[in-house]
Amino acid sequence: MAYDFIDSVGNDVDVVSDSENIKKLLKIPYSKSHVSMAVHRIGRTLLLDELDIQELFMRSSQTGDWTWLKEFYQRLIDQKWQRKKKSKEHWYQKAILSKFLYYSINGDGAAQPVPSTSKQHQEGPVSGEGDEAGEASWPAPFEMPSSLSEDPGASNQGSVPLEPSYIVGHVASAPKEQNLTTLFNDGENSQGLKNDFVRNILWTFEDIHMLVGSNMPIFGGGRYPAVSLRLRDNNKPINVLTGIDYWLDNLICNVPELVMCFHVNGIVQKYEMIKTEDIPNLENSNFSTKVIKDIAQNILSFLKSNCTKEGHTYWLFKASGSDIVKLYDLTTLCEETEDKYQNPFTMPVAILLYKVACNMMLKKNQNKKHYGTIRTLLLNCLKLLDNGRHPQIIASANYMLSELFQLDEPKKEDSTDFPINGNSDESYSEEEEEMPDSDENGSYSNSSDPPDDNKAVAIIKSVGELSVPEKYKSVHRIRPSCAFPVCHGTEERCRLVLNYVLEGLKSVDSSIKKESDLPAADPSTPIPLKYEDESTSGGPECLEKQMALFLDKMGSFQKGKHSSQSGMIPGSWQYKMKLQLILKSSKAYYVLSDAAMILQKYGRALRYIKLALQCHDTYCCLCASMLPEVLVFLCQCLTLCGDIQLMLAQNANNRAAYLEEYNYQTKEDQEILHSLHRESRCQVFAWATDLSTDLECQLSVSCKCYEAAYEILLFSNLKSQNPEQHVQVLKRMGNIRNEIGVFYMNQAAAVQTERVGNKTVSTTEQQLWKKSFSCFEEGIQNFESIDDATNAALLLCNTGRLMRICAQAHCAAEGDFKREFSPEEALYYNKAIDYYLKALRSLGKRDVHPAVWDSVNWELSTTYFTMATLQQDYAPLSRKAQEQIEKEVSEAMMKSLKYCDIDTVSARQPLCQYRAATIHHRLASMYHSCLRNQVGDEHLRKQHRVLADLHYSKAVRLFQLLKDAPCELLRVQLERVAFAEFQMASQNSSAGKLKTLFGALDIMAKTKGAFQLIKKELVAESELTSEGKSAAENMSPTDSSTSLNKDEVLKLLSIFESRMSFILLQSIKLLTSTKKKTGGINEEEAVLQTNKQVYSLLLRATANRSLTLLERVEVILNLLEQLTQNSDTGSAGIQ
């Protein structure tokens, strides 16, 4: 009955039993007859079965079963046991009842009798149930399925009939179940393993919920829709036991009235109609319904308090004529014998535990709070079963245990979902089971009891105690949901899963008989993980072949080819179960690999993903057709494998540690591998999971993993169904191709720097360029196919960088002698510019990704600047005219300025300002040079003069913003002075020359800021030097951190002194001649005196060779200070 109503077991129902057993229990205080019942606990539900000691002991002499119980019974309970034969009176009453029921139904010819094929059922109380026309429905014969014996008219009686619900799937081998059925189908009042009750009723008695099976005949028709019919001897009065029996039957079946048929020697005397509620008040049968309710509550509390272990068989026994009720744990007693599986209840209870767990697993609305209950049921089921006898249930139970642990759940603390104290294998704590003596809770044990009671779990000393209200309270509280074990991390959770999977695999493997064809592998011997040195690895070419073989194999799986080395039959339970277990282990290893990846344990991650792929390889060998979910999971495994290989390539410094992690193997992993090797060689994915020492090989393997995942999505038509997975694979393919492209590009750059003797571009370089370019091109296509503009722009930027390296290679090939900017350089630089412009077009606008946008702009500006600088420094005069070169340089410099953002505040802003200042300086120098060398076109000369002056001014302004470029600022100012000198040379009037000279002096005066920066650097350096020996240790980092070049400062200072001396001398001469002609002006006189004084000091300073660099800078600062004070006066006088 419990099998048919799995939903009711373990949760809402307190008791499942036959109505006869319920009545026996409730009549214990009133009856002297013996009581013998088997009690099992499933969750909060107690299952009560009749345990006919007489019949069992008779069978034990024939079958050998229950011999241990017979010995125990004779030793402790009844030493002179002998089978009690039933009296003739018993058989007479049976026969007369059978005839009475027959004629009650068929007397009017309305129905035909249902013949019984079993003597047992002919002797038993045959019952029927009538519809509104007065017809009766008979209980089905014993051999009929229980689903056909359901009472169609039960709803008319007010009862709550239940429909049986079956668990899908065969849970045990047929021979075992048949053997168990024969053990319990015989014997009087034994219901066996089949549900043969006419009706199954959910009955609530007070607060006790029971699932009760009843065979009581119910008649009805006309004014009496439902009545029970009883046959009584008129000479024998009704006693209390009979009254309780009738009352409980009517209550259970919800029958409102009882019809009593009184007879004398089989002759009917009269019929009497009695209402159900009047039965307790009948003459000679008075009893209190409240006392019956107290008895029910006390018995349930007593059983629940002591029958605490799920899966154990308890025996509730009261000897005939005794007031003592004892409860024994037969499972514990049985385990003390040689064969602990002699308990015939073991298998039915184990199957019931399994079915209840299955039912809970199949419910879609279950959440994690029930997982602890399911786990407890399954663990108790496994405790009861022998692996050699029941491998299928053990394998299935272990698989369900592994399914309880959600491997793909979000990463969070497990303790938030489950109680922290839930680590016990059983749902009941051992502490609660060992209760001390307590008067309040009833005396379960007593030291004064006879010694034979020490085997009893609990004892009711007197049946009279059961009538006392609340004499026995349930001291063992049933937890609302059994606790689930707390897993402190992903690895612990996966290891639990793998442990259950391994146990399941062992059960499956042990049940396969074809042992002779299995590979001779020892589970205790580690299966070596292959490790290949770079000298033995085949490289990318070998990978291509392995990849092709893999894809061919995947294609063959789609066609339905499969093979098993162990001889498993496709479609068998071993075959189906092993597939599920292998797939679960593959997922567990995948999660372990992903967790190790997050922890940057890349060697461990590669080992786990190798195991995951080996499991998947075995799954593929066995499976006739690949499910889309499995193929998607394979894509995830290959993608993760690619990620790990990429990380190993990027962290080559820790290779030794990764190798140690990779080669480590637990015993559990070895045993799982051993089970896998029974079915497959597990080498299909070896190309993807071997740990190589070659960087190029690791990158290639990573790329091939992504390509394999992509190909699987393509040929399986899973791309549209899994768009997110498709995008992730393509993104990774683009990324790895970028990595490989950069690797080849860096190799080409290294070859270029090592090229000394041979100036021509080598074939090796060209091959590396082609490989790099091909990778970048494919990566760009990958990113463009998923509209990833940012990453596509980055790869275009890297392609531009490759073009620049190609240009630099041709630059080096030219040599320094008679160097000119070659057409090859121009070609590659222009290609680089094209790729940078494509990158900008790909982004569209800066808002898409500001950092990438700024980076591409900077690279584009750098390319233009480099190309312009090379054209300017190494002008290709042999191919182009000077004017054309100047025009191209000017255009390239202006474009470089266009993409050089000097306004946006960022870490690159000082670099942009320096670049812009340098460009203006170079343009000014170029126009200055053109002005010097150009003859003829005055308009063009004037234009060059204006442009030179404009760019010099802009360069000065930008250099002044920078605090770390004093030399550059000084150099620009000196060129401006030289530009002024050149202009003065072409002037004829003294006034014009004086104006130009004072302008030059003003430019020199503005170099004061640059000299102050130089002085600050020199002072800081001298202070560090003067600290003594301890400071000497700090010199090298200080020198490396400063940008001041002393040689450059000395050179510029010497030029500055000479030009200042020349300008001061020229200004003194012009001012003196002007004074003689005009008679002198006070302002001009003051300027003349100042210039003479400064000139005199300058000559003395330059003549003194003993001055240090710092002192010379200080002299210049003093002189510039004096010039600055009189600059306004001098300018006014000249004007």
Side-chain angles (χ1 to χ4, degrees):
M1 187 165 63
Y3 286 173
D4 292 344
F5 303 99
I6 293 293
D7 283 340
S8 301
V9 177
N11 295 320
D12 303 326
V13 174
D14 296 298
V15 177
V16 177
S17 185
D18 179 1
S19 60
E20 296 299 321
N21 295 333
I22 299 295
K23 291 188 292 182
K24 276 188 180 181
L25 286 177
L26 298 183
K27 291 188 294 184
I28 284 178
Y30 301 95
S31 173
K32 294 295 183 180
S33 62
H34 86 284
V35 176
S36 176
M37 292 187 191
V39 184
H40 297 91
R41 182 177 205 130
I42 307 292
R44 59 167 287 176
T45 303
L46 296 176
L47 279 68
L48 306 179
D49 290 284
E50 175 77 12
L51 190 61
D52 191 337
I53 296 295
Q54 306 286 333
E55 185 67 25
L56 287 175
F57 289 174
M58 283 296 294
R59 182 176 298 127
S60 68
S61 60
Q62 301 173 6
T63 64
D65 296 327
W66 298 97
T67 53
W68 57 273
L69 182 58
K70 183 178 180 180
E71 293 172 1
F72 170 76
Y73 183 86
Q74 289 179 328
R75 185 174 71 252
L76 298 181
I77 299 174
D78 186 0
Q79 296 180 358
K80 298 179 180 180
W81 174 84
Q82 59 182 0
R83 179 172 174 78
K84 297 177 182 178
K85 296 181 180 180
K86 294 183 179 179
S87 64
K88 291 182 180 180
E89 178 67 19
H90 171 80
W91 299 115
Y92 171 74
Q93 293 297 332
K94 282 269 188 181
I96 198 171
L97 175 63
S98 177
K99 290 181 180 180
F100 169 69
L101 291 175
Y102 174 80
Y103 287 108
S104 297
I105 297 169
N106 295 303
D108 56 355
Q112 295 298 321
V114 179
S116 175
T117 59
S118 171
K119 289 183 178 180
Q120 175 188 346
H121 282 79
Q122 287 176 357
E123 296 169 0
V126 182
S127 60
E129 179 183 347
D131 57 12
E132 293 181 2
E135 296 177 357
S137 61
W138 291 81
F142 189 82
E143 288 77 10
M144 292 179 64
S146 59
S147 59
L148 298 177
S149 64
E150 290 301 318
D151 180 13
S155 59
N156 297 331
Q157 304 159 9
S159 60
V160 186
L162 299 176
E163 292 295 330
S165 59
Y166 297 96
I167 295 299
V168 178
H170 185 61
V171 296
S173 57
K176 296 295 179 184
E177 285 193 347
Q178 290 170 1
N179 292 339
L180 286 167
T181 303
T182 58
L183 283 175
F184 292 96
N185 283 349
D186 298 332
E188 189 175 355
N189 297 327
S190 174
Q191 297 300 327
L193 292 179
K194 291 186 178 181
N195 181 9
D196 298 294
F197 297 108
V198 173
R199 61 191 65 81
N200 303 284
I201 303 162
L202 276 177
W203 180 42
T204 301
F205 188 59
E206 287 296 298
D207 58 346
I208 305 170
H209 303 285
M210 290 182 269
L211 174 61
V212 182
S214 173
N215 286 327
M216 185 183 75
I218 299 175
F219 297 81
R223 292 184 301 128
Y224 304 100
V227 296
S228 61
L229 185 60
R230 299 288 181 173
L231 182 65
R232 292 295 304 172
D233 191 334
N234 201 26
N235 297 324
K236 296 179 181 179
I238 300 174
N239 56 27
V240 173
L241 294 176
T242 305
I244 293 174
D245 204 43
Y246 293 171
W247 180 67
L248 287 174
D249 271 335
N250 278 19
L251 273 186
I252 291 171
C253 297
N254 197 21
V255 176
E257 292 175 304
L258 164 69
V259 174
M260 297 282 286
C261 177
F262 294 92
H263 73 96
V264 176
N265 295 326
I267 300 173
V268 176
Q269 302 297 312
K270 65 175 179 177
Y271 285 88
E272 184 178 342
M273 183 79 71
I274 304 170
K275 291 186 179 296
T276 301
E277 58 267 25
D278 295 334
I279 295 175
N281 301 318
L282 292 177
E283 185 180 356
N284 299 322
S285 180
N286 289 332
F287 62 89
S288 170
T289 58
K290 184 178 181 304
V291 172
I292 301 296
K293 293 172 184 177
D294 290 336
I295 293 170
Q297 288 176 337
N298 281 328
I299 289 176
L300 180 65
S301 297
F302 172 77
L303 292 176
K304 281 201 170 185
S305 298
N306 296 286
C307 301
T308 56
K309 296 180 180 179
E310 283 184 314
H312 279 226
T313 299
Y314 293 91
W315 179 30
L316 185 69
F317 177 77
K318 183 178 87 71
S320 179
S322 173
D323 285 344
I324 300 174
V325 181
K326 299 178 182 180
L327 184 70
Y328 298 95
D329 186 349
L330 294 187
T331 302
T332 304
L333 295 174
C334 183
E335 287 174 351
E336 296 174 0
T337 64
E338 293 181 0
D339 185 2
K340 69 176 182 178
Y341 298 105
Q342 271 200 7
N343 182 357
F345 280 106
T346 298
M347 186 63 181
V349 172
I351 294 176
L352 183 58
L353 289 167
Y354 173 81
K355 283 192 172 186
V356 172
C358 280
N359 185 58
M360 297 181 75
M361 286 284 284
L362 290 174
K363 290 183 179 178
K364 294 182 179 178
N365 58 351
Q366 292 283 356
N367 63 38
K368 293 180 183 177
K369 69 180 182 180
H370 298 103
Y371 281 7
T373 304
I374 297 171
R375 178 174 178 269
T376 302
L377 290 168
L378 292 172
L379 289 175
N380 287 325
C381 171
L382 290 173
K383 288 179 181 177
L384 297 175
L385 297 175
D386 177 23
N387 191 26
R389 300 179 184 181
H390 317 293
Q392 184 178 0
I393 304 179
I394 291 176
S396 182
N398 276 296
Y399 174 69
M400 284 199 293
L401 282 168
S402 70
E403 280 291 299
L404 292 176
F405 296 86
Q406 299 298 314
L407 297 176
D408 54 351
E409 66 186 7
K411 295 177 176 60
K412 60 182 179 180
E413 291 296 327
D414 295 327
S415 58
T416 59
D417 292 335
F418 309 112
I420 294 177
N421 59 348
N423 290 323
S424 63
D425 287 347
E426 299 181 355
S427 57
Y428 317 105
S429 67
E430 298 294 332
E431 294 178 1
E432 291 174 340
E433 294 173 12
E434 299 175 1
M435 293 301 300
D437 295 344
S438 171
D439 293 336
E440 179 185 358
N441 298 319
S443 301
Y444 296 149
S445 62
N446 195 319
S447 59
S448 63
D449 288 338
D452 55 294
D453 291 337
N454 59 2
K455 296 289 185 179
V457 175
I459 296 174
I460 299 176
K461 293 183 178 181
S462 173
V463 292
E465 295 177 353
L466 294 174
S467 303
V468 179
E470 297 186 1
K471 175 64 176 178
Y472 294 95
K473 293 181 180 178
S474 182
V475 296
H476 182 81
R477 295 182 180 179
I478 306 301
R479 298 177 186 176
S481 64
C482 303
F484 198 66
V486 178
C487 297
H488 302 287
T490 304
E491 184 164 0
E492 184 180 350
R493 184 167 64 247
C494 291
R495 279 294 164 194
L496 281 171
V497 169
L498 290 171
N499 182 59
Y500 292 128
V501 167
L502 176 58
E503 293 302 317
L505 288 173
K506 286 180 179 178
S507 297
V508 173
D509 292 340
S510 67
S511 67
I512 301 172
K513 303 300 181 183
K514 197 176 178 182
E515 298 290 344
S516 58
D517 297 338
L518 300 182
D522 183 5
S524 62
T525 303
I527 296 174
L529 292 168
K530 282 194 348 181
Y531 167 70
E532 293 185 0
D533 190 71
E534 58 185 295
S535 60
T536 61
S537 62
E541 295 78 10
C542 183
L543 279 177
E544 293 285 353
K545 295 179 182 177
Q546 292 179 331
M547 177 70 186
L549 289 173
F550 159 67
L551 290 176
D552 287 343
K553 188 173 178 66
M554 291 304 300
S556 70
F557 294 150
Q558 297 301 304
K559 297 173 186 175
K561 295 180 182 178
H562 56 87
S563 61
S564 169
Q565 296 179 12
S566 66
M568 278 195 306
I569 302 171
S572 64
W573 74 264
Q574 291 100 330
Y575 176 82
K576 294 176 181 178
M577 182 54 62
K578 193 157 190 177
L579 277 179
Q580 296 301 318
L581 289 168
I582 289 172
L583 188 60
K584 188 68 179 180
S585 62
S586 183
K587 291 179 179 178
Y589 281 126
Y590 171 83
V591 174
L592 281 171
S593 179
D594 188 47
M597 178 79 170
I598 294 171
L599 296 173
Q600 299 180 353
K601 303 288 186 180
Y602 303 124
R604 186 194 307 173
L606 185 62
R607 170 165 55 89
Y608 284 138
I609 202 64
K610 176 166 187 171
L611 290 165
L613 288 171
Q614 285 177 323
C615 293
H616 207 287
D617 180 14
T618 307
Y619 182 91
C620 294
C621 286
L622 295 175
C623 193
S625 60
M626 299 289 284
L627 296 173
E629 297 81 6
V630 177
L631 287 173
V632 170
F633 174 66
L634 176 57
C635 289
Q636 293 173 346
C637 288
L638 288 169
T639 303
L640 180 59
C641 186
D643 293 345
I644 295 167
Q645 291 284 9
L646 176 58
M647 293 285 77
L648 287 168
Q650 292 178 348
N651 295 272
N653 295 334
N654 297 327
R655 186 168 285 143
Y658 297 148
L659 181 60
E660 184 179 353
E661 292 174 0
Y662 178 73
N663 288 326
Y664 176 77
Q665 203 175 22
T666 65
K667 184 179 179 182
E668 192 176 64
D669 297 338
Q670 294 169 18
E671 292 179 341
I672 290 176
L673 268 177
H674 172 67
S675 180
L676 298 179
H677 279 248
R678 293 169 62 96
E679 315 299 337
S680 165
R681 291 178 61 248
C682 304
Q683 293 298 319
V684 172
F685 298 98
W687 58 271
T689 55
D690 286 337
L691 180 58
S692 174
T693 58
D694 182 56
L695 182 60
E696 180 182 357
C697 182
Q698 286 178 324
L699 292 172
S700 298
V701 168
S702 178
C703 185
K704 295 302 175 186
C705 287
Y706 298 140
E707 289 175 1
Y710 181 70
E711 290 296 327
I712 291 170
L713 288 175
L714 277 186
F715 71 64
S716 304
N717 297 320
L718 295 171
K719 185 171 68 172
S720 58
Q721 301 173 17
N722 300 273
E724 185 177 349
Q725 179 78 8
H726 177 246
V727 168
Q728 287 298 322
V729 171
L730 278 174
K731 188 171 286 188
R732 282 172 163 82
M733 285 173 65
N735 179 60
I736 190 60
R737 282 167 174 164
N738 177 56
E739 292 286 341
I740 297 173
V742 170
F743 170 76
Y744 286 135
M745 181 169 64
N746 291 338
Q747 275 197 328
V751 172
Q752 177 186 316
T753 55
E754 293 171 0
R755 176 160 41 92
V756 179
N758 185 9
K759 296 295 183 180
T760 59
V761 178
S762 64
T763 308
T764 305
E765 283 181 85
Q766 292 177 350
Q767 290 297 327
L768 290 170
W769 294 343
K770 288 178 182 178
K771 288 181 180 179
S772 180
F773 180 75
S774 175
C775 291
F776 285 141
E777 201 170 37
E778 291 173 350
I780 291 166
Q781 291 173 0
N782 294 143
F783 285 124
E784 287 178 345
S785 65
I786 56 174
D787 299 324
D788 191 341
T790 304
N791 282 315
L794 286 172
L795 263 72
L796 286 164
C797 194
N798 279 338
T799 311
R801 183 182 160 209
L802 175 64
M803 296 299 107
R804 286 163 59 190
I805 288 176
C806 295
Q808 291 168 9
H810 285 89
C811 164
E814 291 294 327
D816 295 330
F817 182 69
K818 294 185 178 179
R819 166 91 164 89
E820 284 190 358
F821 186 68
S822 65
E824 290 81 5
E825 290 178 83
L827 173 66
Y828 283 114
Y829 276 121
N830 283 317
K831 282 185 177 181
I833 288 167
D834 289 341
Y835 283 113
Y836 288 130
L837 291 173
K838 284 181 183 178
L840 289 178
R841 286 196 295 271
S842 175
L843 290 171
K845 53 185 179 180
R846 187 176 186 272
D847 296 339
V848 173
H849 201 295
V852 176
W853 176 272
D854 293 343
S855 178
V856 175
N857 271 282
W858 172 254
E859 295 296 332
L860 183 56
S861 173
T862 302
T863 307
Y864 275 121
F865 176 74
T866 304
M867 187 169 66
T869 302
L870 290 172
Q871 278 185 296
Q872 189 176 12
D873 294 345
Y874 305 100
L877 295 172
S878 61
R879 302 191 317 274
K880 297 179 181 179
Q882 180 71 32
E883 292 79 8
Q884 185 182 355
I885 294 171
E886 290 170 358
K887 181 182 178 182
E888 290 178 358
V889 169
S890 177
E891 289 176 354
M893 289 290 189
M894 294 310 294
K895 286 178 180 178
S896 180
L897 276 175
K898 175 185 175 182
Y899 296 105
C900 188
D901 186 5
I902 60 174
D903 298 323
T904 303
V905 178
S906 65
R908 194 179 275 123
Q909 188 183 25
L911 285 176
C912 293
Q913 290 173 341
Y914 185 86
R915 167 72 55 74
T918 305
I919 290 171
H920 285 298
H921 179 201
R922 280 188 161 271
L923 285 173
S925 298
M926 184 182 73
Y927 290 127
H928 186 181
S929 176
C930 292
L931 194 61
R932 284 178 179 276
N933 300 327
Q934 199 169 20
V935 180
D937 192 348
E938 188 61 32
H939 175 71
L940 194 57
R941 286 175 60 83
K942 183 177 180 182
Q943 185 180 5
H944 285 166
R945 186 183 301 112
V946 172
L947 288 172
D949 188 56
L950 174 66
H951 286 296
Y952 274 133
S953 301
K954 289 183 177 180
V956 168
R957 187 174 69 252
L958 288 168
F959 277 129
Q960 285 175 340
L961 293 173
L962 300 169
K963 302 300 182 184
D964 56 351
C967 293
E968 287 81 354
L969 177 58
L970 189 56
R971 187 180 297 107
V972 174
Q973 295 288 42
L974 286 173
E975 287 189 23
R976 291 182 72 190
V977 171
F979 184 62
E981 291 180 10
F982 174 72
Q983 288 180 300
M984 186 184 69
S986 61
Q987 292 175 334
N988 297 321
S989 63
S990 299
K993 288 184 177 182
L994 271 175
K995 183 177 180 181
T996 303
L997 286 171
F998 277 111
L1001 283 173
D1002 185 53
I1003 291 170
M1004 287 190 159
K1006 289 179 180 177
T1007 60
K1008 182 179 176 182
F1011 279 113
Q1012 286 176 338
L1013 288 173
I1014 292 171
K1015 178 185 175 182
K1016 183 178 178 182
E1017 293 284 350
L1018 292 171
V1019 169
E1021 184 178 340
S1022 63
E1023 287 178 354
L1024 288 173
T1025 306
S1026 64
E1027 289 180 1
K1029 294 181 180 179
S1030 61
E1033 299 175 1
N1034 300 325
M1035 283 298 292
S1036 54
T1038 306
D1039 290 341
S1040 61
S1041 63
T1042 181
S1043 58
L1044 192 64
N1045 187 337
K1046 288 186 179 180
D1047 295 335
E1048 184 74 10
V1049 172
L1050 280 170
K1051 182 180 177 182
L1052 292 172
L1053 186 58
S1054 299
I1055 296 172
F1056 187 87
E1057 288 172 346
S1058 65
R1059 300 331 298 159
M1060 186 177 183
S1061 175
F1062 172 77
I1063 290 171
L1064 285 172
L1065 180 59
Q1066 293 301 318
S1067 65
I1068 290 169
K1069 288 180 179 179
L1070 285 173
L1071 284 171
T1072 303
S1073 63
T1074 304
K1075 178 183 176 184
K1076 291 179 180 178
K1077 292 178 182 178
T1078 59
I1081 304 174
N1082 291 333
E1083 292 82 356
E1084 291 182 356
E1085 181 67 26
V1087 172
L1088 178 59
Q1089 293 302 321
T1090 301
N1091 287 356
K1092 284 183 178 181
Q1093 184 181 356
V1094 170
Y1095 181 65
S1096 174
L1097 292 172
L1098 181 59
L1099 287 177
R1100 291 195 189 98
T1102 53
N1104 188 356
R1105 300 294 181 182
S1106 62
L1107 293 178
T1108 63
L1109 180 60
L1110 178 59
E1111 290 171 340
R1112 289 174 65 185
V1113 171
E1114 289 175 344
V1115 169
I1116 294 297
L1117 282 170
N1118 290 332
L1119 297 178
L1120 292 176
E1121 184 69 29
Q1122 293 182 33
L1123 286 175
T1124 305
Q1125 291 174 359
N1126 296 293
S1127 60
D1128 295 336
T1129 306
S1131 299
I1134 296 300
Q1135 292 172 358

